[in-house]
């Protein structure tokens, strides 16, 4: 009888633990337009600099925009190259054919996130656009790069993402984040489905000038945002930065700066 009670107590404890769900976890999420790994000044490819920066920042997942793949301009498969240099896994999808190869968006992520599935969602643009949707064990991360020429296309794209995410993930129990170069400082105005989850600092190096608060010296166009859902309410933004780590000249690597958000999922 005593052994039977012990087994019952153990099973009850296990059941109680399982009902509580997974323990809270903290993640570092990032986005970075790498400008096909070409620096703003001087030409060439800065694979070492960009991969050193990513390793130093230590994101669990980072959305990447403007990646070359086996085209005449860069030659290499940049998503795979950066993954190899950072020790991370990668996703890539072309958005346009370019120079005998392609040009597109991608993502680096740590294997510990446990990728369940990924897919590509086409979006409108004067050049074809799209989004990579990566579902991990605890959250969904979406990488995109919206049309720079047309506000209408950007608005349409956010509407497509809103409807698609609501249909697929609203009842999934997982928070959804969209990260990328959204090509607008006011892209979130008037929307109720997306909550800003990143810093308001300027991210774009305009015409080779330093980033700053003055007119024409940069804009906030790179974002991480959270989709407003029941699961999203389980998330807390601890803090967010446009990082400038010591010893790395960030502005010499791309015409954009990376964005990091430190997120806690309960």
């Amino acid at each position: 009888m005593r052994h039977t009670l012990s087994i019952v107590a153990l099973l009850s404890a296990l059941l109680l633990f399982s009902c509580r769900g997974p323990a809270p976890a903290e993640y570092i999420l990032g986005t970075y337009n790498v400008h096909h790994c070409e620096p703003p000044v001087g030409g060439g490819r800065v694979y070492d600099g960009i991969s050193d920066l990513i390793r130093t920042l230590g994101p669990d997942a980072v959305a990447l925009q403007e990646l070359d793949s086996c085209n005449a301009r860069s030659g290499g498969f940049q998503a795979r190259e950066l993954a190899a240099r950072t020790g991370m896994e990668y996703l890539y999808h072309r958005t346009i054919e370019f120079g005998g190869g392609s040009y597109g968006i991608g993502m680096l992520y740590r294997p510990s996130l446990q990728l369940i599935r990924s897919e590509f969602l086409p979006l409108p643009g004067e050049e074809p656009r799209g989004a990579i949707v990566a579902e991990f064990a605890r959250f969904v991360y979406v990488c995109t790069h919206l049309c720079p020429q047309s506000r209408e296309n950007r608005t349409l794209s956010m509407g497509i993402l809103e409807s698609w995410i609501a249909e697929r993930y609203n009842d999934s129990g997982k928070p959804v984040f969209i990260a990328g170069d959204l090509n607008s400082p006011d892209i979130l105005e008037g929307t109720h489905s997306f909550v800003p989850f990143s810093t308001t600092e300027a991210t774009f190096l305009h015409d080779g000038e330093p980033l700053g608060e003055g007119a024409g010296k940069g804009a906030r166009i790179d974002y991480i945002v959270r989709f407003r859902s029941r699961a999203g309410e389980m998330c807390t933004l601890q803090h967010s930065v446009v990082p400038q780590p010591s010893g790395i000249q960030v502005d010499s690597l791309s015409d954009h700066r990376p964005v990091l958000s430190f997120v806690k999922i309960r």
Side-chain angles (χ1 to χ4, degrees):
M1 176 67 73
R2 186 174 299 169
H3 291 300
T4 302
L5 290 174
S6 298
I7 293 171
V8 170
L10 176 61
L11 290 174
S12 298
L14 289 173
L15 180 60
L16 179 62
F17 179 79
S18 64
C19 290
R20 289 176 179 171
E26 296 183 2
Y27 300 98
I28 304 174
L29 305 179
T31 185
Y32 192 16
N33 182 325
V34 297
H35 191 243
H36 47 271
C37 299
E38 180 180 340
V41 179
R45 296 291 173 265
V46 284
Y47 295 121
D48 285 341
I50 289 175
S51 56
D52 286 348
L53 175 60
I54 292 172
R55 284 198 306 270
T56 299
L57 300 180
D60 293 289
V62 55
L64 301 176
Q65 302 84 45
E66 296 195 21
L67 290 166
D68 278 349
S69 177
C70 306
N71 58 39
R73 176 169 58 193
S74 299
F77 186 4
Q78 291 186 334
R80 184 172 62 193
E81 183 72 26
L82 293 174
R85 290 168 179 258
T86 57
M88 301 175 77
E89 301 293 324
Y90 73 89
L91 298 170
Y92 172 79
H93 202 287
R94 73 177 184 184
T95 52
I96 62 171
E97 296 181 357
F98 180 79
S102 68
Y103 187 58
I105 56 177
M107 188 181 299
L108 300 181
Y109 64 93
R110 297 190 185 281
S112 58
L113 293 184
Q114 303 175 43
L115 179 68
I116 295 172
R117 66 177 61 84
S118 66
E119 51 191 309
F120 181 76
L121 178 65
L123 297 173
E126 295 187 19
E127 291 178 347
R129 298 280 156 167
I132 293 175
V133 183
E135 181 182 353
F136 298 107
R138 293 293 302 271
F139 62 90
V140 178
Y141 208 46
V142 181
C143 168
T144 192
H145 185 186
L146 301 187
C147 175
Q149 295 92 354
S150 166
R151 182 184 182 90
E152 180 182 1
N153 282 333
R154 292 191 294 272
T155 302
L156 284 171
S157 293
M158 294 300 283
I160 291 169
L161 286 167
E162 177 184 2
S163 299
W164 194 89
I165 291 169
E167 180 180 348
R168 296 292 187 94
Y169 291 107
N170 197 49
D171 297 318
S172 69
K174 295 180 180 181
V176 180
F177 305 94
I178 298 175
D181 179 353
L182 305 188
N183 266 312
S184 171
D186 58 0
I187 189 70
L188 298 182
E189 289 184 5
T191 178
H192 299 289
S193 295
F194 299 105
V195 180
F197 239 53
S198 58
T199 177
T200 59
E201 294 177 71
T203 63
F204 180 51
L205 187 64
H206 178 72
D207 293 335
E209 296 182 3
L211 285 161
E213 296 302 322
K217 289 190 177 181
R220 177 203 188 192
I221 61 175
D222 302 272
Y223 294 79
I224 299 170
V225 304
R226 175 178 63 77
F227 181 68
R228 195 183 297 274
S229 65
R230 288 187 293 274
E233 299 303 320
M234 299 165 54
C235 298
T236 303
L237 176 63
Q238 309 286 63
H239 66 281
S240 179
V241 293
V242 170
Q244 285 283 351
S246 177
I248 298 179
Q249 299 296 319
V250 174
D251 293 349
S252 70
L253 301 176
S254 172
D255 58 354
H256 290 246
R257 283 178 175 172
V259 176
L260 289 183
S261 290
F262 296 75
V263 175
K264 183 175 182 178
I265 301 177
R266 299 187 296 277

